[in-house]
Amino acid sequence: MDKIKIALAGNPNVGKSTLFNRWTGMRQHVGNWPGKTVEKKEGSFKYDQYGMEVIDLPGNYSLTAYSVEEVVSRDYIVGEKPDVIVNIIDAANLERNLYLTVQMMELGANLVLALNMNKFAREKGLKINKKQLSELLGVPVIEIEAVDDTGSEKLLQTIVKVSKSPNVVLDRLEYGNEVSEHTKQLEKIIDQDIPQLDAPSSWIALKLMEEDPEIIKKIEETGKGQRVLKEIKKIQRHFNDVFGDDADAAITDARYGFIAGLVSESVKKPKIDKVTRSDLIDRVVTHKYLGIPIFLLIMWLTFQITFTLGDPLGGYVEEAFAWLGETIAASMGEGFLTSFIVDGIIGGVGGVLVFVPLIFILFLILSILEDSGYLARAAFVMDRFMHKLVGLHGKSFIPMILGFGCAVPGIMATRTLENERDRLLTMLIVPFMSCSARLPVYALIVAAFFSAYQGWVIFSLYLLGIVVAIIVAAIFKKTIFKGMSAPFVMELPPYRLPTAKGALIHMWERGALFLKKAGTIILALSVVIWALSSLPVGVEYGSQESVTGQIGTVLSPIFAPLGFGEWQATVAIIYGFLAKEVVVSTFGTLYGIDGDGGGEEASDEEVSANETASVEQVSNEASGEQVSGETAVEEASAEEEETALEEDPGYIAVMQELFTPLSAYAYMVFVLLYIPCLATLAAIRRETNSWKWPAFAAVYTFVVAYVVSFVVYQGGLIMGFA
Amino acid sequence: MIKTLNNLKQGETGIIVAFKGKGNVRKHLMEMGLVRGSDIKVERVAPLGDPIEIKIKGYSLSLRKEDAKKVEIEIK
C-alpha cells in the first residue's frame, strides 16, 4: 500500500482539528514535539489503496520564528518534507489566512488549499472565485466544510493527485521589483557559496532579509556565509535609504500586496461591512459596565459546575477505592503485602482517579468556552487587570481562578495561553492559590486556636496566597523571564456554536493525557512514599521508627525557627506532599485519634493516605463555595463544624499541645505555600514536558514557604504574640 | 489628519500610513495585517480602558495601547 504523508496547516480557529478528527477518528497519537511544550498530533487513515499519515501542525498565523509553534511548523515543513500540505483556510477571513499560504509557497511546499467555513463567508457577502484563485496561485483550491462531508471526497482525490505530480509554486509569487531584485541577487550568492542547504535559496534569501535569527544562525554555522551576510547588510542599508523603513517591513508589505492583488481578482466583497452577529454579542459581552460582571459570572459558573459536580464524583471514586482497600485488607489479613497492595497500589491509583471527574468536567467547560470564542473575550476584558497586577496575559486569569479549586486543572488550563513564557509563569504561581485540599488543614487548626475569628483567619490565608503570587510573579518577570516580553496581540474570532462532538473530543484528549502522563508519575511517587512509611519491615505505618518518621525526626530542627520543630509536624508536612489534606489525617494517625470521629476503631488501613476520604468529604462540601468570597469561606468552615473531626476534643488537645497560636498560624502559612502536591508537580511535568520546571517549582515554593513562615513566626515573637 | 492608533475613538476609521519602531511585536502585528495602506477601524475599547479591538483585513484583532501607539493612521 502506498503511503502519503499529509500535513495539516492553517491559522488557529479555522477547523484544522475538526478535519483532523474527522479523518483519523480515534487512530491518533498525541504527544509533544521533541523538546518543546507544543503538542504534536499524528494520526492515520485509509483512503482508496493509500495509507494516509496525517500530522496536525500547530495553528499559526505565519512562519516567522516568532513563537515556538511557528518554529516547529517551519522545521517540520523544511525537514520532514511532507508529500502534501493541506492548508485549511477560513473563507470568511481570506486575506490574513493567505499570508501563511504565501509563506508556505515561499518554501516550495506542495499545497492544496481547503476553503472551510464557506457558510460564514457567504453570510459576510463574500463571493470567492475558486477557479481564478487556483489559477493565480498555481495550487488546487477545494471547497469543504470540516464539520460534515462536504468536499471531503474531492479533497482526498486532489491530495492523491497532487502527491503524484507536485505543484510548482515558487515562480507564482510577485513581490514587486525592489524586493524581487534583491532576493535574486542574494539567491545567486547563496547558490554559489552554500549550495547544500535543504530549503529553497529564494526562501533563505527572504528570511535573511527579514533578519530571521534562526536562519542567520544556520548560515553562520556553515562557515561559508561571510559574503551572503555582508550583502544583506548592504541591502538593508539600501532599503532604509530608499523607503525609510527596513527590508523586513518591506517584505511583509510585499506579501500583503501580493495577497491584495489575488483577492481583488478573485473575490467580490460587499461595499459596506454588515453588522455581524458576533458584533452584537460583543456589544454586550465586552460592554464598558457589563463586561466585567459577565466575565465574573461566567467564571463563577465554571467554578461552581466544575467543583460542585466534580468533587462529589471524586468523592465517590475515593470511597470506592477505600471500600476496595478495606475489602482486600479484610480478606487478606494484615501484613506487609496487604499494606503494599492497599496503601501503596490502591491508594496510589485512587489518588490519580480522584482527579478524573474534575479534569474531565473542567475541560468540557473550557473547550466550550474556547470553541465558542468567549475565552478570547474574557482575556480581552481582563487583560489590563492581569497585565498591571502581575504582568501576565488576560487569559492567565482563568487558570488562577481554577487554582482555588484545585491546582491540577488550573495548570492544565494554562494550555489556552499561546505564549510559552506566560504559560510557565502562570504554572509557577497557580499553586499559591489556596486550593480546596488546604481547607481541612486550616479548619483543623483554626478550630483549635482561632475559633473566634475563623473566617478572618482563613480569609487572611487566601489573601496571603494571592499576595505571594503577585510578588513572586513580579520577581520572576525581572529575573528568569526577563526580557521575554509577551505582547497582547490576539484575534477575537467570531462567535460560533461549539459542537458537542468537538467539545467531547477535546475533553477526552486532555483527560486521557492527564491520566496517562501525570497518572503514572503520581502512582509511582505514591508507592515510593508508601515504601518509606512502611520500611523497615515491621514498623507501624508512618511511625517515628519508619523511614519517613526518621526523616521527619532528622529534618524537624530545620523547622524550629518557624515554630514547629516537632517531628510529628514535619512528618505531616512530608505526607502533605501526597495531597495537602493528608496533613490532617497524619496528625490523626500519629496520635492514634480516629479520623472518622464515628467510633470506628483505628485500624491499620486507616493510617494510609487514601483513607482520608471522610476528611475530604467534608472539605468537598466546603470547597464548592470558597471562591465566592470571604463570606463563603466563613460559611464553609461553619458548615464543617457540624460534622468534621476538628470538633474532636482529642484533636484540639493534641494541636494545642503541639502548637501555640502563633506557631499554628506559621504552620498554616507553610502548608499554604510549600511544595505543591504530587499531582500538581506531575501536571507541571506533563505540561512542560520536562522535569526541570516541576523540580524548580518544588524548590522555590519550599524556599518561599520557609521565608514567609519564618517572617510570620519571628515577626510575631518580636511583636509579642507568643 | 494623522493620529496614532491608541488615540482613535471607538468607531473611528482610517488608513495605516506608518508603523514605527522595530522588534518582534511590530513584525507580528504587521503579519497580522497591520501593513501600510490597510483600512482600520477601532471597534471598541476594553472595559478597563485597555486593550483595544480593531477591525483589520475583515477580522477582529485586539492589541494593547502601548503597541498601538506606534501605528500612525490617516483619518478618513
Side-chain angles (χ1 to χ4, degrees):
Chain A
M1 195 166 59
D2 283 345
K3 285 212 162 90
I4 300 179
K5 211 154 82 180
I6 305 170
L8 284 177
N11 287 186
N13 301 309
V14 294
K16 237 158 37 72
S17 302
T18 314
L19 183 66
F20 181 74
N21 289 330
R22 269 192 86 68
W23 272 351
T24 60
M26 286 290 144
R27 289 173 307 276
Q28 42 177 275
H29 172 76
V30 185
N32 277 71
W33 292 87
K36 302 274 163 42
T37 62
V38 183
E39 198 169 78
K40 182 182 193 181
K41 295 207 297 191
E42 292 168 284
S44 62
F45 67 103
K46 282 199 183 83
Y47 170 72
D48 216 4
Q49 78 266 32
Y50 300 96
M52 310 290 228
E53 282 172 14
V54 197
I55 184 142
D56 192 11
L57 295 175
N60 284 326
Y61 293 110
S62 113
L63 291 182
T64 312
Y66 175 76
S67 68
V68 196
E69 282 82 357
E70 290 176 356
V71 175
V72 160
S73 300
R74 196 164 92 179
D75 289 350
Y76 181 81
I77 296 173
V78 175
E80 299 291 316
K81 302 221 184 322
D83 298 318
V84 181
I85 296 181
V86 177
N87 180 194
I88 303 181
I89 287 191
D90 176 0
N93 192 353
L94 200 58
E95 282 189 72
R96 201 207 57 221
N97 274 258
L98 283 173
Y99 189 81
L100 177 69
T101 312
V102 163
Q103 288 197 314
M104 289 194 288
M105 287 169 69
E106 288 168 6
L107 268 172
N110 192 19
L111 285 175
V112 172
L113 256 54
L115 284 188
N116 192 20
M117 316 218 170
N118 299 285
K119 199 179 80 191
F120 298 109
R122 281 191 290 272
E123 267 173 29
K124 255 182 153 178
L126 301 175
K127 283 202 187 85
I128 301 169
N129 184 338
K130 279 179 295 166
K131 197 161 158 261
Q132 179 78 356
L133 186 62
S134 168
E135 273 167 16
L136 290 169
L137 284 171
V139 166
V141 178
I142 316 288
E143 197 169 300
I144 64 158
E145 285 305 331
V147 287
D148 56 39
D149 263 331
T150 312
S152 169
E153 182 63 26
K154 182 117 188 269
L155 177 60
L156 289 167
Q157 281 170 1
T158 314
I159 290 170
V160 172
K161 204 175 92 195
V162 167
S163 74
K164 291 189 174 130
S165 55
N167 302 308
V168 181
V169 290
L170 279 179
D171 56 349
R172 297 285 175 149
L173 300 168
E174 281 166 28
Y175 286 166
N177 290 337
E178 200 64 42
V179 173
S180 318
E181 239 172 64
H182 289 101
T183 326
K184 289 230 171 66
Q185 207 179 314
L186 256 183
E187 219 182 303
K188 227 184 273 162
I189 307 177
I190 295 170
D191 284 338
Q192 286 166 4
D193 289 6
I194 340 171
Q196 76 283 25
L197 291 165
D198 52 4
S201 43
S202 57
W203 181 71
I204 301 277
L206 275 174
K207 285 291 140 188
L208 286 173
M209 279 156 69
E210 287 187 286
E211 293 176 74
D212 186 299
E214 299 251 327
I215 302 298
I216 293 177
K217 209 174 90 200
K218 265 182 198 152
I219 295 296
E220 280 168 353
E221 276 165 8
T222 61
K224 288 179 278 186
Q226 296 84 349
R227 212 151 65 96
V228 177
L229 295 171
K230 218 171 105 197
E231 183 68 21
I232 297 274
K233 290 259 148 57
K234 221 169 82 191
I235 294 173
Q236 271 156 356
R237 261 202 310 277
H238 173 79
F239 270 93
N240 271 321
D241 292 345
V242 177
F243 297 104
D245 209 341
D246 42 24
D248 188 9
I251 291 170
T252 312
D253 274 351
R255 288 192 188 114
Y256 267 115
F258 173 69
I259 293 167
L262 282 178
V263 169
S264 73
E265 283 185 58
S266 57
V267 182
K268 271 199 195 124
K269 287 188 209 174
K271 281 255 154 38
I272 313 154
D273 276 341
K274 287 185 199 166
V275 176
T276 59
R277 200 177 32 208
S278 286
D279 275 328
L280 293 175
I281 299 174
D282 270 344
R283 278 182 200 171
V284 181
V285 164
T286 62
H287 184 269
K288 199 169 174 190
Y289 302 112
L290 293 177
I292 291 174
I294 289 175
F295 166 75
L296 292 174
L297 179 73
I298 290 178
M299 280 304 99
W300 183 79
L301 282 174
T302 306
F303 193 90
Q304 282 293 315
I305 296 170
T306 309
F307 291 100
T308 47
L309 225 64
D311 266 345
L313 288 175
Y316 294 141
V317 172
E318 212 158 16
E319 272 175 39
F321 274 87
W323 173 85
L324 187 67
E326 275 167 36
T327 315
I328 290 176
S331 67
M332 286 177 69
E334 282 180 26
F336 192 70
L337 186 66
T338 312
S339 173
F340 174 69
I341 292 173
V342 172
D343 301 330
I345 304 283
I346 297 181
V349 173
V352 175
L353 294 183
V354 167
F355 289 104
V356 167
L358 217 58
I359 283 167
F360 276 69
I361 295 168
L362 171 79
F363 279 126
L364 184 63
I365 299 173
L366 269 189
S367 38
I368 291 170
L369 287 180
E370 192 166 15
D371 294 353
S372 68
Y374 181 74
L375 211 56
R377 271 72 183 185
F380 179 68
V381 167
M382 289 312 292
D383 181 66
R384 188 181 164 83
F385 179 77
M386 290 303 288
H387 186 54
K388 283 260 154 179
L389 200 63
V390 278
L392 277 169
H393 194 280
K395 279 188 186 172
S396 300
F397 199 79
I398 292 160
M400 310 228 331
I401 290 246
L402 290 167
F404 284 113
C406 174
V408 172
I411 281 161
M412 301 192 84
T414 58
R415 306 186 141 229
T416 55
L417 291 158
E418 284 95 18
N419 183 284
E420 193 167 24
R421 183 205 76 117
D422 283 348
R423 216 179 292 157
L424 287 170
L425 185 50
T426 310
M427 268 183 233
L428 291 178
I429 61 174
V430 161
F432 289 134
M433 303 298 115
S434 187
C435 72
S436 58
R438 279 127 158 160
L439 201 58
V441 186
Y442 305 157
L444 171 73
I445 292 174
V446 159
F449 294 100
F450 308 103
S451 52
Y453 313 98
Q454 353 200 5
W456 285 107
V457 169
I458 294 182
F459 181 62
S460 73
L461 290 163
Y462 276 81
L463 206 62
L464 180 71
I466 297 169
V467 170
V468 168
I470 293 171
I471 295 171
V472 164
I475 293 172
F476 281 163
K477 281 208 57 142
K478 296 216 166 63
T479 52
I480 46 176
F481 295 120
K482 199 180 169 185
M484 296 158 81
S485 87
F488 184 83
V489 177
M490 183 183 65
E491 185 185 1
L492 294 168
Y495 286 99
R496 269 164 207 155
L497 211 57
T499 61
K501 197 181 164 194
L504 288 172
I505 286 178
H506 268 146
M507 174 188 86
W508 175 253
E509 274 174 11
R510 306 274 179 259
L513 214 59
F514 169 79
L515 272 186
K516 219 164 69 186
K517 299 288 164 83
T520 44
I521 299 167
I522 299 172
L523 178 59
L525 289 176
S526 302
V527 171
V528 170
I529 293 216
W530 169 85
L532 293 179
S533 309
S534 311
L535 295 171
V537 182
V539 298
E540 199 178 317
Y541 187 91
S543 61
Q544 194 170 12
E545 294 74 41
S546 70
V547 179
T548 318
Q550 289 173 26
I551 294 174
T553 310
V554 171
L555 292 184
S556 56
I558 297 175
F559 297 106
L562 313 186
F564 41 93
E566 297 76 14
W567 72 271
Q568 294 92 332
T570 308
V571 168
I573 282 172
I574 297 174
Y575 281 111
F577 181 50
L578 274 171
K580 297 244 166 145
E581 73 272 14
V582 178
V583 170
V584 174
S585 56
T586 307
F587 281 118
T589 48
L590 289 178
Y591 287 98
I593 304 160
D594 174 14
D596 285 332
E600 268 177 274
E601 243 182 278
S603 64
D604 221 21
E605 311 93 84
E606 227 141 319
V607 180
S608 74
N610 63 319
E611 262 305 305
T612 53
S614 57
V615 181
E616 246 174 64
Q617 222 48 19
V618 178
S619 75
N620 289 342
E621 274 168 39
S623 62
E625 282 115 333
Q626 79 210 37
V627 157
S628 40
E630 71 257 52
T631 47
V633 175
E634 270 170 68
E635 221 176 88
S637 46
E639 230 174 78
E640 255 176 278
E641 266 185 288
E642 295 164 21
T643 50
L645 77 169
E646 67 267 23
E647 273 285 276
D648 193 316
Y651 250 112
I652 292 178
V654 163
M655 288 291 118
Q656 286 173 341
E657 187 187 308
L658 208 54
F659 296 106
T660 65
L662 180 60
S663 69
Y665 192 80
Y667 195 70
M668 286 196 288
V669 168
F670 194 84
V671 169
L672 164 71
L673 302 172
Y674 87 108
I675 308 181
C677 69
L678 269 181
T680 306
L681 292 179
I684 297 177
R685 148 91 186 112
R686 155 77 209 112
E687 290 304 309
T688 60
N689 201 28
S690 99
W691 281 106
K692 191 175 93 189
W693 291 107
F696 176 72
V699 173
Y700 102 84
T701 52
F702 185 85
V703 172
V704 168
Y706 194 89
V707 170
V708 178
S709 297
F710 182 84
V711 169
V712 165
Y713 184 69
Q714 297 296 338
L717 283 182
I718 291 168
M719 287 159 70
F721 293 107
Chain B
M1 185 178 50
I2 294 193
K3 273 192 186 177
T4 51
L5 180 56
N6 60 314
N7 286 321
L8 260 64
K9 294 204 180 55
Q10 182 164 347
E12 247 182 313
T13 58
I15 294 173
I16 298 178
V17 286
F19 201 140
K20 301 281 180 206
K22 260 195 122 20
N24 276 339
V25 184
R26 171 173 181 259
K27 174 77 175 173
H28 185 43
L29 279 167
M30 288 184 79
E31 295 197 309
M32 295 298 276
L34 276 89
V35 289
R36 255 179 296 191
S38 304
D39 287 326
I40 190 167
K41 178 184 177 195
V42 172
E43 203 69 51
R44 58 181 59 82
V45 179
L48 298 170
D50 200 18
I52 58 171
E53 177 187 342
I54 57 166
K55 195 141 257 178
I56 183 100
K57 307 264 175 211
Y59 78 100
S60 302
L61 181 74
S62 62
L63 70 158
R64 290 195 186 123
K65 282 186 174 167
E66 58 182 332
D67 299 317
K69 245 192 274 180
K70 315 250 173 64
V71 187
E72 292 182 352
I73 313 286
E74 164 109 64
I75 305 290
K76 274 193 214 164

